[in-house]
Amino acid sequence: MSVSGDHSNSVFANVIQAPEDPILGVTVAYNKDPSPDKLNLGVGAYRTEEGKPLVLNVVRKSEQLLVNDPSRVKEYLPITGLADFNKLSAKLIFGADSVAIQENRVATVQCLSGTGSLRVGGEFLARHYHERTIYIPQPTWGNHPKVFTLAGLSVKTYRYYNPNTRGLDFEGLLEDLGNAPIGAIVLLHACAHNPTGVDPTSDQWEHIRLLMRSKGLLPFFDSAYQGFASGSLDADALSVRMFVADGGECLTAQSYAKNMGLYGERVGALSIVCKTAEVATRVESQLKLVIRPMYSNPPIHGASIVATVLKDRDMYDEWTVELKAMADRIISMRKQLFDALQARGTPGDWSHILKQIGMFTFTGLNADQVAYMRKEYHIYMTSDGRISMAGLSSRTVPHLADAIHAAISNVA
């Protein structure tokens, strides 16, 4: 008989301790810090001015309607998910007047938020697309390379961010995509690029579109922030709609984590725009074969919330107002932080804080400066210097500005 606590006979004795997730690990370290001044700018979730999580009023209303509906049951959804949710999600991202939707050329399936949508799309491409290389921007969200590698694709990068200008490396981007093999898949952030907050202009998007279509590159959009970046659902879908309007094919992964605050409900959709309705039908049939052995079918509650909001005009309008309020608060935090750094005479040009868009700002701080701010000021962020603007408030901006000023002044 083995002695309690003796693990030598465990069949898992050779399993090594895995490293913390670089993003989620920030929160783990933050939670262990007893300092009353601690500040978590690593989490990719919206916070109010008081630093609290927010449940939208329109979401609470939707849930109340669902709870009070005696006809609602807890049966399994189809493999593809809630039909209303899928139709309304495609309409939200592609536009109410989308020709692709009118011609039934879009195959949409409900997935487990943005991550699940990317994974299902990646696995579908690995099985059915002739080119198994996907180009992702450098840098990008830390989960992208893992998701696509495990889905069976080969991951390569294209230049995206210029650390010298703290803006877009447009020439590098065009050169790298121009050198990509014909037919390669290209991951594009629809808006509010994570982690940099740097987006192409509409003219630059048009250049990217022309180049990609000329080489037969397949666009795969990750849309995690529609409406959450600028406050406008239509403006934040511009890049996707440009590619759909030219009649070409593309994939889009949608998440409702940020723009409806449904983080823990894991609500998302994958839409594949095809050349014909007949192709779309066959694509959907194969998406079912990807999903069935993975998680069988998606959860019903979050998708029902979204569908309830999107199909009711009054609730939809209320949502857009709440959505704009969140986006506007983040924009306000950018201005307050920029002004605070200017007031302190912090060395360097900080205008990128105003130019970047969405939840995150790529500060330009290096890993040593980030470590200094954690040790001396109890401010937590990812080691690449990315901060969540949604984690800031008018009360905490001065503390962050002091820390950045000290880090820039004391750490090379």
Side-chain angles (χ1 to χ4, degrees), residues 360-373:
F360 299 111
T361 283
F362 223 41
T363 57
L365 296 165
N366 62 40
D368 290 338
Q369 291 164 337
V370 169
Y372 172 88
M373 289 169 61

Side-chain angles (χ1 to χ4, degrees), residues 88-130:
L88 293 161
S89 293
K91 180 179 168 186
L92 186 72
I93 190 68
F94 300 132
D97 57 352
S98 169
V99 175
I101 293 175
Q102 291 168 6
E103 295 176 349
N104 297 314
R105 293 190 284 111
V106 182
T108 303
V109 291
Q110 180 191 335
C111 299
L112 306 183
S113 203
T115 307
S117 304
L118 293 165
R119 178 60 192 268
V120 169
E123 197 157 312
F124 168 81
L125 291 171
R127 291 188 195 181
H128 300 286
Y129 187 57
H130 64 85

